[in-house]
Amino acid sequence: MCYNKTMYSVLSGKREGYAFYFELTDGVDRFGGGLKEGELVCDPACTQKELLLRTLVNKCMNAFVPQVKTRDVWGVDLSRFGFEREGELYVSSWDRLRLPHGCK
């Protein structure tokens, strides 16, 4: 049997132009993302975009971000996270955001 022993970490950091910024590390590579000018963004090469998105959504919820936007770059159904499509953007607010799970 073979097990994936990759250890991920997502740590808060600072980066100019970002209201908040997080860095995801998979043991080898580092990827960043955060809230920049009201939009959630991430490094296009990020290998764990959903993990980074969950971190950013949680931060928006806890920081009571009035409005947050993002684009369809995460590889997941953004409506599950509380976003509604408005043109090419997806929009939500801290009180509509959620962290979905697969449990029924």
Side-chain angles (χ1 to χ4, degrees):
M1 241 185 244
C2 181
Y3 294 98
N4 181 352
K5 296 181 181 179
T6 302
M7 179 68 115
Y8 298 101
S9 69
V10 183
L11 301 174
S12 178
K14 292 188 185 265
R15 181 169 263 190
E16 188 163 334
Y18 286 80
F20 52 81
Y21 182 81
F22 286 85
E23 194 168 83
L24 182 145
T25 304
D26 65 7
V28 177
D29 296 311
R30 293 175 186 256
F31 308 98
L35 183 65
K36 184 176 186 178
E37 298 174 3
E39 185 175 339
L40 295 180
V41 297
C42 73
D43 289 340
C46 183
T47 58
Q48 295 295 319
K49 289 182 180 178
E50 184 174 351
L51 176 56
L52 186 54
L53 177 62
R54 287 179 172 278
T55 302
L56 298 175
V57 165
N58 187 59
K59 176 66 176 177
C60 287
M61 291 166 64
N62 291 330
F64 305 104
V65 175
Q67 183 182 57
V68 61
K69 303 174 283 190
T70 194
R71 297 176 192 275
D72 190 14
V73 296
W74 301 95
V76 296
D77 179 4
L78 292 170
S79 67
R80 292 184 64 228
F81 289 84
F83 288 94
E84 294 179 358
R85 189 176 187 128
E86 291 185 12
E88 65 181 49
L89 294 174
Y90 290 80
V91 180
S92 193
S93 58
W94 70 269
D95 58 332
R96 291 190 335 231
L97 288 171
R98 58 186 173 271
L99 294 171
H101 52 81
C103 301
K104 293 185 180 193

